[in-house]
Amino acid sequence: MYKYNDFDTAFVTERNAQFRAQVARRIDGSLTEDEFKPLRLMNGLYLQLHAYMLRVAVPYGSLNSAQMTQLALLAEKWDKGYGHFTTRQNIQFNWPKLSDVPDMLDALAEVGMHAIQTSGNTIRNVTSDHFAGAAADEIEDPRPVAELIRQWSTDHPEFQFMGRKFKIAVGAAAEDRAVLKAHDLAVRIVQNPAGETGYQILIGGGLGRTPMIGQVINDFLPRADLLPYIESVVSVWNQIGRRDNKYKARIKITVHEHGIDDIRARVKARFALIRPSFTGADQELLSEIKAHFAAPNFRSGSTAAYGAAYNADPVFRAWADTNLAEHRNEAHAIVTISIKKHGATPGDASADQMRAMADLAAEYGYDELRISHQQNVILPHVHKSDLPALHARLKQHDLATANIGLISDIIACPGMDYCALATARAIPVAQQIATRFDALKLEHDIGHLQIKISGCINACGHHHIAHIGILGLDRAGVENYQITLGGDATWTANIGERAGPGFAYDEIVPAVERIVEAYLDLRSNAEETFLETYRRVGLSPFKSALYPEAQKKVA
Amino acid sequence: MARIFTAKVVTANALIEGDVIYLTADDQWSRDLTQGELITDEAHAQLRLLKAQSQVATIVGAYLADVKPGDNGPEPTHFREDFRRTGPSNYAHGKQEAEANV
């Protein structure tokens, strides 16, 4: 875990004091809302449909137990007893009062947390692989690089008022668990044929109204060139990116309009200019940061208790099969805690649950937790012998749902239940789908299947890159849901195909059921996943299942 | 051709709590849509909106929302305003919570 040094602490303290004064001036009327809005957004404070919303940064999704416990305190003391984990690995509080926000920020600072750059037209909170530092398939822990980028980008004078927001993700594993190709800029830690470690840089990915997959701008960047190169990319985009239309003000549009080769040439020219000003201090800083992310002193010892429980307890076995992932230390496992009990709001955790997860991390998990972009919580390092006891404790807090990667492990944005931008609800659709397939007892038979739901075209629910994507829209004053199929969020990323006309609110769950029934009929065997089947047979048979009336008319 | 003016209420969010609020005929702010002033005259609507927007230390983001007359006062004509009126649908929070505690 990165720990704030004196500079970090002083910076956050000063920033909080500034914001406290700004809030006071807003409340006494000396600042208008137009004057105050950019200031509150710089500190993660939105005004949503029913209340303010404070978005707190969880850098690269990493937390320790003290930080999670403090989030529980915020939920209880200043909100309604819960928090909402987001697809950007952050947490949102949906009901703070404006006058309480300065106190909330001070409470966060006590545990080395803040809400800076979780909003506004700036470089946003850097995201990463939620299995970072634990995964068996990673080259190295990507978090030190993510932290370096965070420190470089925080309050960077050139990038505080850009045309639009800019999202950066870092990954270092064979499997992409950070949706790298859907980011404005992605850093992939790679090794070249000579065995040297460096960075592949992708730019121009993003979802929203014009979804695009990122393209490689640099196949292998030496380590010392990382920050000047990223700075060159953001600087070029800041200079030539569209500002005439906010919907065209993302780097994906700039890359699309200029072409990747033109952008690469511009970045190269900019890089040549600014590279000499990077004296090597950034690499010294990276070394210091790396020391904070040293792996825990992993326990050895027998894992027999795990094997015994696995063989004896089918409930534990079902949970282990879905919620555990391979750890780089074979005596350990990565545990994904589902906070998506069937029918629950995806991503929501109560203060009690947050506290329980913090306690379990302290007791069994070397004091580490992660937030996934899939809106679950990870204990990255758990000795296998502790898994039966951990599972029993999770059950006590409704945290032992065995559904990771299954149909009820749905990503859903807050939608019109909370978000001022939304055009339809997302949460109740997710709740109904999860409940329906739980009742059908088909979930484990269906296997790996990602449903992602957005309540508007901005695509916070990542629907474009879902196996089954659902987009809620306003059609003539009623909620209407469009379905896309075959999206993919991994290295083989692609945008799903729109299936056809949308469905009314009360038709969307049966429509999803027809897609899943079609898949079960079409798959070549029980091991063929939904995405594999879709790629083999294409859209047509699913379309026939979705729109049976249209097929009858054709006949 | 000029667009026909339809009934409106002035709505906003309360500055401190962020709650959805409605301007009443006697210049108060109510959390209850049924107490909002039903405005059927366009010129009057603009004046009421200007009055609301001048209250920078009380409210945020005033605008005119479409409504229709109902038995108990204004009713929303669009589902977005209906959600603003009631609160989120996944928990009994916001307005529903307030009603539950009455």
Side-chain angles (χ1 to χ4, degrees):
Chain A
M1 286 296 300
Y2 180 71
K3 288 198 172 50
Y4 280 7
N5 60 26
D6 291 345
F7 175 86
D8 300 326
T9 303
F11 173 81
V12 174
T13 303
E14 187 181 340
R15 181 68 174 262
N16 286 356
Q18 283 174 359
F19 190 56
R20 184 179 288 279
Q22 290 159 358
V23 169
R25 295 207 298 280
R26 176 67 187 99
I27 290 172
D28 73 19
S30 43
L31 281 179
T32 65
E33 186 60 19
D34 285 346
E35 291 164 334
F36 180 63
K37 187 176 176 181
L39 303 173
R40 67 168 159 77
L41 290 179
M42 288 173 79
N43 292 281
L45 185 62
Y46 289 75
L47 180 58
Q48 296 286 21
L49 210 58
H50 312 293
Y52 288 94
M53 180 271 279
L54 180 66
R55 181 181 294 151
V56 175
V58 182
Y60 31 89
S62 255
L63 286 166
N64 61 28
S65 60
Q67 291 171 325
M68 184 66 107
T69 302
Q70 195 76 337
L71 295 179
L73 175 85
L74 263 72
E76 244 167 23
K77 188 168 179 183
W78 291 294
D79 209 86
K80 292 187 184 288
Y82 72 100
H84 177 76
F85 291 107
T86 77
T87 53
R88 300 216 70 252
Q89 300 182 291
N90 293 321
I91 186 168
Q92 296 178 173
F93 294 101
N94 286 323
W95 302 93
K97 287 183 183 160
L98 176 60
S99 48
D100 288 337
V101 173
D103 289 342
M104 296 173 80
L105 294 178
D106 283 349
L108 289 169
E110 287 173 14
V111 292
M113 298 185 78
H114 61 72
I116 297 165
Q117 292 186 198
T118 58
S119 179
N121 292 331
T122 185
I123 297 174
R124 296 291 186 87
N125 184 41
V126 179
T127 54
S128 188
D129 183 347
H130 46 261
F131 291 171
D137 66 340
E138 74 181 10
I139 291 173
E140 64 179 39
D141 188 338
R143 291 176 300 162
V145 170
E147 175 61 28
L148 178 71
I149 296 170
R150 175 170 86 119
Q151 293 195 19
W152 157 79
S153 64
T154 300
D155 231 21
H156 192 302
E158 188 178 348
F159 305 135
Q160 292 309 297
F161 295 97
M162 298 192 292
R164 285 283 276 141
K165 58 191 168 184
F166 196 90
K167 298 175 183 175
I168 299 177
V170 185
E175 186 183 341
D176 178 13
R177 287 176 288 265
V179 207
L180 293 180
K181 288 189 170 179
H183 280 78
D184 293 301
L185 187 148
V187 178
R188 185 186 182 190
I189 301 172
V190 293
Q191 281 178 332
N192 67 10
E196 297 163 323
T197 306
Y199 308 104
Q200 184 186 59
I201 308 294
L202 298 94
I203 64 167
L207 303 176
R209 70 180 58 216
T210 314
M212 290 187 184
I213 300 299
Q215 301 179 54
V216 175
I217 185 171
N218 194 315
D219 213 35
F220 190 83
L221 188 68
R223 302 203 75 140
D225 289 346
L226 181 67
L227 285 191
Y229 195 83
I230 296 177
E231 185 159 312
S232 303
V233 171
V234 188
S235 186
V236 164
W237 169 68
N238 199 21
Q239 216 168 22
I240 67 169
R242 297 272 296 267
R243 287 173 194 263
D244 58 320
N245 179 340
K246 70 179 279 196
Y247 303 117
K248 296 189 176 190
R250 298 296 291 270
I251 193 172
K252 62 189 174 186
I253 304 296
T254 311
V255 172
H256 178 72
E257 290 182 347
H258 288 255
I260 188 74
D261 292 335
D262 177 75
I263 300 297
R264 188 181 290 115
R266 289 171 187 267
V267 168
K268 190 176 174 186
R270 178 76 182 154
F271 179 77
L273 271 178
I274 67 171
R275 181 66 186 87
S277 64
F278 283 76
T279 58
D282 54 323
Q283 293 305 298
E284 289 169 25
L285 179 59
L286 179 60
S287 298
E288 288 171 23
I289 291 170
K290 274 185 179 173
H292 290 289
F293 291 93
N297 186 16
F298 291 125
R299 260 170 56 207
S300 55
S302 170
T303 60
Y306 168 68
Y310 189 89
N311 291 325
D313 179 356
V315 175
F316 175 74
R317 184 162 62 243
W319 175 80
D321 285 344
T322 50
N323 293 38
L324 301 185
E326 192 182 354
H327 195 281
R328 63 193 171 100
N329 178 301
E330 61 183 24
H332 289 71
I334 302 169
V335 176
T336 299
I337 300 171
S338 171
I339 46 174
K340 298 178 193 169
K341 184 184 173 185
H342 300 101
T345 300
D348 277 11
S350 69
D352 285 344
Q353 288 177 320
M354 285 188 238
R355 206 169 283 116
M357 290 188 282
D359 290 346
L360 292 169
E363 197 169 341
Y364 298 115
Y366 302 89
D367 207 33
E368 288 195 35
L369 301 115
R370 308 283 161 70
I371 310 306
S372 75
H373 77 270
Q374 290 154 329
Q375 300 179 287
N376 289 309
V377 177
I378 320 290
L379 298 180
H381 319 292
V382 180
H383 194 276
K384 287 180 178 172
S385 63
D386 289 332
L387 290 169
L390 173 73
H391 179 246
R393 294 270 295 279
L394 289 171
K395 277 200 286 190
Q396 293 170 5
H397 299 277
D398 271 344
L399 291 168
T401 307
N403 65 345
I404 298 303
L406 304 182
I407 196 168
S408 64
D409 186 9
I410 297 170
I411 288 178
C413 76
M416 197 176 270
D417 283 309
Y418 297 92
C419 180
L421 299 176
T423 48
R425 286 173 296 166
I427 291 169
V429 176
Q431 290 174 302
Q432 289 169 41
I433 292 171
T435 305
R436 176 65 181 154
F437 282 92
D438 186 42
L440 292 172
K441 299 299 170 204
L442 277 174
E443 190 164 25
H444 288 262
D445 186 31
I446 295 163
H448 184 57
L449 175 56
Q450 294 175 335
I451 296 181
K452 304 181 184 187
I453 308 171
S454 300
C456 81
I457 204 159
N458 293 310
C460 294
H462 294 186
H463 65 277
H464 295 294
I465 48 173
H467 304 158
I468 300 174
I470 300 173
L471 167 62
L473 294 169
D474 175 350
R475 284 276 180 266
V478 294
E479 291 167 292
N480 186 271
Y481 294 86
Q482 286 179 1
I483 289 178
T484 52
L485 296 173
D488 176 10
T490 68
W491 287 127
T492 48
N494 66 276
I495 306 299
E497 292 177 272
R498 192 176 153 193
F503 295 88
Y505 179 75
D506 57 359
E507 293 173 344
I508 185 64
V509 177
V512 170
E513 202 172 322
R514 292 200 294 280
I515 296 169
V516 174
E517 283 167 0
Y519 156 66
L520 292 173
D521 288 341
L522 289 162
R523 67 181 177 184
S524 57
N525 58 62
E527 272 66 54
E528 189 178 59
T529 64
F530 178 89
L531 190 59
E532 289 165 348
T533 301
Y534 183 83
R535 286 178 169 168
R536 179 171 57 79
V537 304
L539 177 62
S540 182
F542 289 100
K543 204 166 176 169
S544 301
L546 262 176
Y547 304 102
E549 293 305 315
Q551 294 303 308
K552 277 183 203 165
K553 281 179 191 164
V554 171
Chain B
M1 200 167 77
R3 197 165 46 89
I4 297 168
F5 182 79
T6 54
K8 303 281 190 289
V9 289
V10 177
T11 182
N13 291 80
L15 175 66
I16 303 295
E17 299 86 0
D19 289 357
V20 175
I21 51 177
Y22 306 96
L23 187 61
T24 65
D26 59 352
D27 291 344
Q28 304 299 305
W29 287 99
S30 171
R31 263 80 175 156
D32 183 350
L33 173 59
T34 62
Q35 294 176 3
E37 179 187 9
L38 182 81
I39 306 170
T40 54
D41 177 79
E42 187 167 10
H44 182 60
Q46 292 302 328
L47 287 172
R48 299 297 284 161
L49 180 60
L50 284 171
K51 180 176 181 62
Q53 287 171 334
S54 69
Q55 299 178 39
V56 295
T58 311
I59 61 115
V60 182
Y63 65 93
L64 296 169
D66 285 318
V67 289
K68 61 185 179 188
D71 293 341
N72 297 311
E75 292 177 358
T77 58
H78 188 278
F79 64 90
R80 184 176 191 274
E81 288 304 327
D82 201 20
F83 289 126
R84 287 184 79 241
R85 181 181 65 88
T86 58
S89 62
N90 62 329
Y91 301 119
H93 282 167
K95 298 290 180 66
Q96 303 146 79
E97 191 176 46
E99 284 165 13
N101 292 332
V102 167

